[in-house]
Amino acid sequence: MSIVNINQNNFSKEVIQSDRPVLLDFWAPWCIPCRMVAPILDEIARERADVKVAKVNIDEQPELAGRFGIMSIPTLMVMKGGEITGQAMGARPKHQILGLL
């Protein structure tokens, strides 16, 4: 599956109402650790049809970043049924990201 770009307009439908767990990446284009995590998230999106991988560009969506108190990027968050079930800050190897799920 492809990665879904999240904004204020589609957040509820794509994340809160998702029938699958959502691995949400809060990132920015200028963030080097974010760029390190991006290929790993692409792999997970391709390999795991049971998980929705989504990205929030904090520069374009500061309201969403503020809503979740994002103070450092990348921040990875797992949401199931509209609830946060896992969270990690900073670049992580694939096995640690999968461990959040």
Side-chain angles (χ1 to χ4, degrees):
M1 308 234 24
S2 60
I3 293 178
V4 179
N5 289 309
I6 300 298
N7 57 48
Q8 285 281 82
N9 297 328
N10 69 359
F11 181 82
S12 180
K13 177 181 181 280
E14 295 290 348
V15 179
I16 302 295
Q17 298 170 19
S18 177
D19 58 350
R20 298 176 283 161
V22 179
L23 175 57
L24 199 53
D25 175 28
F26 289 87
W27 72 288
W30 47 263
C31 167
I32 292 171
C34 298
R35 289 191 230 155
M36 294 167 53
V37 170
I40 297 169
L41 297 176
D42 289 337
E43 278 182 34
I44 293 170
R46 281 193 309 271
E47 296 170 358
R48 297 282 305 264
D50 61 322
V51 174
K52 182 184 291 188
V53 180
K55 298 179 79 112
V56 177
N57 181 330
I58 65 159
D59 289 340
E60 295 175 355
Q61 302 299 319
E63 306 85 12
L64 285 175
R67 176 174 167 183
F68 290 99
I70 303 302
M71 302 299 278
S72 178
I73 55 172
T75 292
L76 300 172
M77 188 178 294
V78 177
M79 296 190 76
K80 297 178 186 173
E83 299 292 322
I84 300 168
T85 60
Q87 186 169 338
M89 287 185 283
R92 305 284 172 152
K94 185 176 179 179
H95 75 274
Q96 285 185 2
I97 295 171
L98 290 172
L100 292 171
L101 299 170

